Amino acid sequence: MKKAFSVLLLCVTMPIFGQVDYPKDAFRSPLDIPLVLAGTFGELRSNHFHSGMDIKTQQREGLPVYAIADGSVTRIKVSLWGYGKVLYVAHPNGYTSVYGHLQKFAPEIEAYIKKVQYQKKSYEVEVFPDYGEVKLEKGKVIAYTGNTGGSAGPHLHFEIRSSISEKPTNPLLYGFDVRDATNPILNNLYAYPLSQDAEINESQNKVELNFKRQEDGTFLAEKAYATGTIGLGFIGYDRLDLAANRNGVYSVQQSVNGKVFSEYDFETFSFGESRYINTLIDYDHYGRYYQKIQKLFKGPGNRLSIYKTLFNDGKIEITEGLTYNVELLIKDIKGNEVKALIPIEGKKEPVKIEREDEKTDNYLITKKPNNYDLGAAKVYFPANTFYDNFYIDLEKGEDTVKIHNNHVAAHRSFTITFDVAKYSEEEKKQLFIARLDNRLRPQYVSTYKRGTTFTARTRNLGTYTLAKDTVAPKISPRNFKEKQWLNDYQYLSLRISDDLSGIDTYSATINGEWILMEYEPKTNTLTYNFDDIILDKRECNLELTVTDNVGNSTTFTSTFFRK
Ligand SMILES: [Zn+2]
């Protein structure tokens, strides 16, 4: 991308974001099937907003992907995680299109990247071709759809970014034909007492508001009685035609007695702000129930740029004796909408449900750095690790420490340092720092070992422990046997797995020459394509070494024949 930069600056007019006329006819579809979406732009994902649209590929892989306009490949990446195999194409009109989770690239690009993979002896690579080096014409097949990287099923992840700022924009602003005449769906409404003196329906805690559909299709909530400063939130999603899945909504507007108090949409956002999604949603609720309530008010630490209008940060000050008609309007990008009316009356009532503050001995002020000694480990939170101050729940233990729980989000990484002085050098080799998942299974966390301390950097609160992996990875052939003739075989396929710390590296050779093996962690599969190198000997000796995250390794050897 960097090198293309200067060229683009010279020859294109830059799109200016904010008030933009997005080109509606410049781009063709990246696929030649009807576009049905499995995910929309801005959709709420874990710790980020979705930065593109996910196009369903009929539960299949291998559909051709087309260049949406003339352009030049500026970035090719192959990764086990994230976008998997991904292609970035810069177009002369100042936009870059991105195609992710690909199965493979078109032959020319495939040859280009394989050369790099063989040079670097690595499956995971990233290259930035110069602008003009790998030119493409509109409609040319550039890749085939797949399911690589962090993908839960075959689909194409498609983005359109500004080539200059790299800001992703909503792909549906560019005139792609996606059928949607279906209204968004409102599932739940919530009201939050925000000030110390606030209460809603006799409660000092968040309350859920019931609502009913009226004859005109809008929803009406039961009247709420409140005092103090309050805020509202909702759970909702969008549905598109031809698919049952839940997508993210495009815009949300809250008005009070006709005045807009808060309004945001998903036209664009920057990658740098994406993690602030944790302040848009009620994170405590998410940690407990895995549901994402979108707040209609701006809470502490929220630095999102998606707001079009904000009055009093979207918070409503309730005065006794007055009535407030709140209207919530949720839209998809085609303008299909759902509307809810929430009447609130200012009335102070005796509090029946008192504020649940989970107080502990440690009130964490996030503005300053915080250090805690938990016996087995020390934990260090740099300043502004969190969005807000809170009572942190800490527990000391022998080899296990509890560092709060997943009801609070960290924005930045913090450090956990275990003292491992009591372990022998041999023991230390197989030990690692693990986080216990919600089923209390230890999950490997990247562990830096130095002298008598192990350190991990993480953004996840929870319970951490030292775990030991004594078992080396397992390797077994999938589609061949020892001493077999493999003349008609296109691929060699092997299964690899590790019981605890997980696979760190692998390397394979045939007759001493390094071969590229594609690794798919989702299916524990390594695959070698016989087209890659010419095997000039009848007898071929395969050697594969797999190493886990603490350094236990297994070498598998096998002889096969080819002519
Ligand atoms: Zn996606």
Side-chain angles (χ1 to χ4, degrees), residues 282-302:
D282 175 344
Y283 199 88
D284 179 81
H285 190 91
Y286 176 58
R288 286 169 203 269
Y289 310 112
Y290 218 67
Q291 295 173 321
K292 297 179 190 110
I293 302 175
Q294 304 190 43
K295 295 189 285 194
L296 300 165
F297 58 94
K298 203 173 177 185
N302 179 331

Side-chain angles (χ1 to χ4, degrees), residues 45 50 54 101 155 157:
R45 300 281 172 94
H50 189 229
D54 286 343
H101 308 308
H155 73 277
H157 172 92

